[in-house]
Amino acid sequence: MIHNISYRVMVHGTEDEEKVIKALKNILPTASPRREELEGHHGNPLTLLKGKIADKGTIKKFTERIIPLLGDLDIERHVDEAGNLFLRLDKQRAYNGEWELVEHGDSIHLKLKIEAYPARREVAIKNIKKLIT
């Protein structure tokens, strides 16, 4: 169902990077993020943590946990033309081991490459809907 999961999460200068990594690992335990130092709009320090998960075991466990959250999601709004499903999970709740889909930007950003042959938006949406019903 999911080929791979790309993730990215921003660490603001006022946040503890280790806590943000813990939140990420509560969602994707095998995550091994690369760090990129950035500067915010107002010159504030930012760190971008990003990476990709292709491990089938991790993806299977992730899928089992995320499926119940997708029932109320407007799937069409979250899938691009290449068949990727974009989700955001609340960073604070993830730190506590809870999973909550959110719309705000200060979150764990996920891009799920959905299995679809051919790799088209319509096929991916159909496959996601089959999985959640």
Side-chain angles (χ1 to χ4, degrees):
M1 158 64 190
I2 299 172
H3 283 299
N4 60 62
I5 302 168
S6 297
Y7 59 87
R8 64 184 181 87
V9 60
M10 195 68 67
V11 182
H12 298 274
T14 57
E15 293 178 306
D16 180 338
E17 185 174 324
E18 290 305 313
K19 287 183 177 181
V20 175
I21 290 172
K22 179 184 178 204
L24 175 63
K25 287 185 171 279
N26 281 343
I27 304 299
L28 298 166
T30 61
S32 182
R34 295 183 315 278
R35 298 175 83 252
E36 185 177 335
E37 299 297 327
L38 304 171
E39 187 174 296
H41 183 68
H42 299 287
N44 51 311
L46 298 170
T47 302
L48 177 63
L49 303 175
K50 61 183 179 178
K52 185 183 267 189
I53 302 284
D55 173 68
K56 297 301 176 197
T58 300
I59 291 172
K60 182 179 186 300
K61 288 177 185 170
F62 173 86
T63 303
E64 290 168 357
R65 184 93 189 256
I66 201 72
I67 292 299
L69 303 179
L70 300 180
D72 294 331
L73 189 71
D74 180 2
I75 298 295
E76 288 85 359
R77 210 171 67 100
H78 292 269
V79 176
D80 69 5
E81 291 303 317
N84 295 302
L85 175 62
F86 292 87
L87 301 173
R88 294 178 184 180
L89 291 170
D90 186 272
K91 195 171 19 173
Q92 299 297 319
R93 290 197 183 262
Y95 178 77
N96 293 321
E98 302 166 20
W99 292 33
E100 180 185 0
L101 292 174
V102 294
E103 294 291 324
H104 61 77
D106 190 26
S107 56
I108 298 170
H109 296 248
L110 302 171
K111 178 176 87 170
L112 286 56
K113 179 61 182 162
I114 303 299
E115 196 172 283
Y117 303 101
R120 290 195 338 253
R121 181 176 191 273
E122 301 77 29
V123 178
I125 290 169
K126 182 178 149 196
N127 288 347
I128 295 165
K129 287 184 174 181
K130 265 197 279 189
L131 191 66
I132 61 177
T133 57

